[in-house]
Amino acid sequence: MIALGGAIGTGLFYGSADSIQLAGPVVLIAYLLCGAAIYLVVRAMGEMSVDDPNSGAFSHYAYQNWSQRAGFVSGWNYWFNYIAVAMAELSVVGLYINYWLPQVPHWASAAFFIVAITTANLIGVRAYGEFEFWFAIIKVIAVVGMIVLGLIVIIFGITNNPELSPPSFSNLIADGGFAPFGLVGLIAALPPVMFSFGGLELIGITAGEAVDPKRSLPKAINGVIWRILIFYIGAITIIMAVIPWRTIDGKMSPFVQIFDNVGIGGAAHILNFVVITAVLSVYNSGLYSNGRMLYSLASQGNAPKYLTKLSRNGVPWAGVLTSSLITVIAVVVVFQWPEFAFKYMMSVAVIAGIINWSMIMITQAKFRKRIGPEAASKLTFKLPGGLFTTFGVLAFLGLIVVLMAMSEGYRMAVIVGPVWLLILLVSYEIKTRRKLKN
């Protein structure tokens, strides 16, 4: 549920519109390819987590198997990744609010939800848990409900818009075929599709708190592939079957648009509420994780000491507030560039995610090298394919970066990524030298 709560967000509910427009129905193959890559990343994380359950996850395994520098970079990049994700989520929440209240500016919606979620996180972990439990439940039930309702619409041909083709699976091939833009369209859709899967790797973070990680983690991780098929492939298939893919314009969530177009207004309002909770859920999870990541980094001496401050309830309030204040940049971006905010924020989140996923794969390879062939043969939950899979996933992630560099909307992120890594590496050297002097 934690992984699904982090992954089912704006990337699926809103970003899918961009992916569909870029590729047409063949976008389903893009979701399958990206889903398979992320599944293997989760398996790589799972191999280390089952062998050594630890809540430090990314940073801990990089530190242990790679180097102190890698642990530092991994921890800070994880924090940066979810800052970017939070900004991307908040940059589009105004679109959903405008479905009901068109007069409310987008930046005002973002500002309101930043304050609300920050307040909930400052109250304590119980408040976070209550929010996240219901958010995740609502999203999961809604996606399943949307698929079922969409099937009913398709079977009975329910429509309220005679100008559009009636709901039918034939819509997947009726307008230019299954791949109207060919291989070019499929490749172009890969970067935005990758954004949708960010968060699934959070399963690894739960290892330290799991009652029986050697049993529960493999079960949860292997279940990811079925969730990908149901929640991503299934949902996008239904959307493009209910309404022709060219009419999915991104002005509202495709999940809302399909029922708005067929005249089921009640369902559209319910799904609009769901997509709002999806944004809040991802931001809630990101802020919770980031507050604790900053606390952990500060406790290691890898962040300013003020971030170790806790409230009476044990909440790392300094880390939560710092993360929240930096996320306020999203409000400024939405205010200044409302038309481009989501795409740019999403592109930065994708590059940060690629750095994170790449470090997981490299760390897993170094983990195998550290423990040696004999110990590796005794691992109870191995990454299928070993090093072949590791290099295959790294090559796929490299392809995504190349595609981003070729796209005007993503090119900025390809510049931001290396600059961010350089800042982290320089910061680590400065920190290390100061520690040696002292």
Side-chain angles (χ1 to χ4, degrees):
M1 290 300 292
I2 288 173
L4 286 176
I8 302 176
T10 297
L12 177 62
F13 286 118
Y14 177 75
S16 54
D18 283 343
S19 305
I20 291 170
Q21 285 298 307
L22 285 169
V26 78
V27 73
L28 295 173
I29 304 299
Y31 274 94
L32 195 59
L33 290 172
C34 294
I38 295 302
Y39 170 69
L40 293 172
V41 171
V42 175
R43 280 295 300 259
M45 171 62 67
E47 178 177 292
M48 296 181 287
S49 298
V50 171
D51 182 73
D52 176 23
N54 190 286
S55 297
F58 316 116
S59 182
H60 170 76
Y61 298 130
Y63 180 90
Q64 184 183 54
N65 298 288
W66 193 343
S67 68
Q68 293 184 26
R69 180 185 291 105
F72 176 90
V73 171
S74 180
W76 274 107
N77 182 69
Y78 172 80
W79 172 82
F80 177 70
N81 184 14
Y82 277 90
I83 286 291
V85 168
M87 290 182 181
E89 299 287 335
L90 291 168
S91 70
V92 295
V93 70
L95 286 172
Y96 308 149
I97 296 298
N98 284 167
Y99 184 72
W100 294 322
L101 304 169
Q103 72 278 10
V104 176
H106 290 188
W107 64 266
S109 298
F112 172 80
F113 288 121
I114 285 176
V115 172
I117 296 300
T118 300
T119 301
N121 271 268
L122 290 174
I123 292 173
V125 69
R126 183 178 296 276
Y128 161 79
E130 285 294 326
F131 269 98
E132 196 51 39
F133 172 79
W134 290 108
F135 284 158
I137 286 291
I138 288 170
K139 287 190 291 186
V140 170
I141 292 175
V143 174
V144 174
M146 189 281 289
I147 292 173
V148 172
L149 190 56
L151 284 171
I152 293 172
V153 168
I154 293 167
I155 292 169
F156 292 99
I158 302 171
T159 182
N160 194 43
N161 193 340
E163 296 180 3
L164 299 179
S165 302
S168 169
F169 286 111
S170 64
N171 283 331
L172 296 174
I173 57 172
D175 189 358
F178 185 67
F181 305 116
L183 184 61
V184 173
L186 172 62
I187 292 174
L190 292 176
V193 168
M194 284 300 290
F195 175 76
S196 301
F197 292 101
L200 285 175
E201 73 281 357
L202 288 175
I203 290 177
I205 293 181
T206 67
E209 285 75 40
V211 175
D212 185 5
K214 293 186 181 296
R215 182 192 63 82
S216 59
L217 276 178
K219 183 179 178 181
I221 290 170
N222 285 330
V224 166
I225 191 65
W226 299 109
R227 290 164 191 145
I228 288 171
L229 290 173
I230 294 172
F231 291 104
Y232 292 89
I233 309 298
I236 302 301
T237 298
I238 292 297
I239 286 172
M240 292 188 293
V242 172
I243 58 174
W245 64 270
R246 288 189 192 272
T247 65
I248 301 171
D249 51 24
K251 292 181 180 179
M252 64 178 74
S253 168
F255 284 70
V256 177
Q257 186 181 348
I258 60 171
F259 293 111
D260 202 43
N261 279 4
V262 299
I264 308 178
H269 286 294
I270 291 171
L271 283 169
N272 195 58
F273 168 75
V274 170
V275 295
I276 290 174
T277 63
V279 170
L280 299 185
S281 172
V282 176
Y283 179 46
N284 191 37
S285 293
L287 187 57
Y288 173 85
S289 300
N290 275 350
R292 279 138 187 90
M293 178 58 75
L294 288 182
Y295 173 81
S296 178
L297 286 166
S299 299
Q300 299 165 11
N302 289 328
K305 283 192 174 182
Y306 82 92
L307 293 170
T308 59
K309 294 182 178 179
L310 299 173
S311 69
R312 292 180 180 177
N313 295 328
V315 176
W317 63 267
V320 169
L321 284 179
T322 298
S323 298
S324 187
L325 287 172
I326 292 176
T327 310
V328 168
I329 296 172
V331 177
V332 177
V333 172
V334 171
F335 180 73
Q336 292 291 334
W337 305 285
E339 299 299 323
F340 303 99
F342 175 70
K343 192 167 186 177
Y344 281 115
M345 291 296 99
M346 180 179 69
S347 68
V348 173
V350 170
I351 201 69
I354 287 174
I355 293 171
N356 184 34
W357 299 324
S358 298
M359 292 193 74
I360 289 174
M361 299 309 297
I362 295 171
T363 300
Q364 182 271 337
K366 291 184 176 294
F367 163 71
R368 285 283 188 101
K369 184 177 180 180
R370 181 181 66 82
I371 65 175
E374 185 177 348
S377 66
K378 297 177 182 178
L379 292 171
T380 59
F381 191 59
K382 296 180 182 179
L383 171 67
L387 287 176
F388 178 80
T389 298
T390 300
F391 291 123
V393 172
L394 288 172
F396 182 78
L397 294 174
L399 171 63
I400 300 295
V401 174
V402 171
L403 294 174
M404 292 175 68
M406 295 169 61
S407 172
E408 185 178 351
Y410 291 89
R411 198 168 295 136
M412 179 195 70
V414 178
I415 297 172
V416 169
V419 170
W420 169 241
L421 281 177
L422 181 62
I423 291 172
L424 290 180
L425 291 171
V426 170
S427 299
Y428 177 79
E429 292 302 323
I430 293 173
K431 178 193 78 72
T432 303
R433 291 182 183 184
R434 283 182 176 176
K435 188 175 181 180
L436 290 174
K437 288 181 180 179
N438 294 333

